[in-house]
Amino acid sequence: MNSYQVIYEVVRQIPRGQVATYGQVAGLAGLYGKARLVGYALYRVVDGDDVPWQRVVNAKGQVSESPFRNGSDDLQRSLLEAEGVVFSANGTIDLRRYRWQPDPTQFLPDIPVEG
DNA sequence: CCGTTGACGGCGA
DNA sequence: ATCGCCGCCAACG
């Protein structure tokens, strides 16, 4: 079980019409502070994979734009709007309203063991 | 093997 | 508030 698999498992839990941030997913996957790894994992998702990658946005509540995405950033916004997620005029999602709040009994924190 | 590269995030100026 | 810097680490040449 590599890191990507764990990341994909978490993303699969995000319900339709809700979003999570990269940092949030990292934390839930036991990868606190490694938000960038989540971005890289989602970059490698190809269509056909059963991963709702569009439901992950950055900490500002915006779709992360990049020329390397080759248009998938625009697609991401469209998919979210189709799920009922509303963007403000400046392209921001109100995280207070749409952020996913996972069942705490399903995501118990990893307790580091003293070496 | 090793340097570079990002779908990130937090902090300081 | 906004911008830049830097730590993060797997993938790629």
Side-chain angles (χ1 to χ4, degrees), chain A residues 7-115:
Chain A
I7 289 169
Y8 296 146
E9 284 302 310
V10 172
V11 175
R12 269 191 271 264
Q13 310 299 315
I14 308 173
R16 180 185 174 81
Q18 295 191 287
V19 300
T21 65
Y22 295 94
Q24 183 182 359
V25 171
L28 292 170
L31 300 166
Y32 179 78
K34 303 174 187 173
R36 227 173 160 166
L37 189 56
V38 175
Y40 205 74
L42 294 182
Y43 175 77
R44 305 224 39 261
V45 171
V46 293
D47 52 273
D49 289 350
D50 182 29
V51 178
W53 54 270
Q54 73 273 21
R55 296 176 191 151
V56 184
V57 298
N58 65 30
K60 299 189 293 270
Q62 298 174 156
V63 168
S64 288
E65 297 180 33
S66 165
F68 289 91
R69 297 188 62 175
N70 198 239
S72 79
D73 37 9
D74 291 328
L75 174 61
Q76 179 172 6
R77 174 166 176 159
S78 299
L79 290 172
L80 286 176
E81 288 180 323
E83 295 184 0
V85 176
V86 177
F87 286 73
S88 66
N90 57 3
T92 303
I93 297 169
D94 185 353
L95 291 178
R96 290 180 305 176
R97 182 141 88 194
Y98 296 102
R99 187 200 287 273
W100 171 48
Q101 304 200 337
D103 178 358
T105 65
Q106 202 168 359
F107 290 90
L108 300 176
D110 288 353
I111 308 299
V113 184
E114 296 295 326

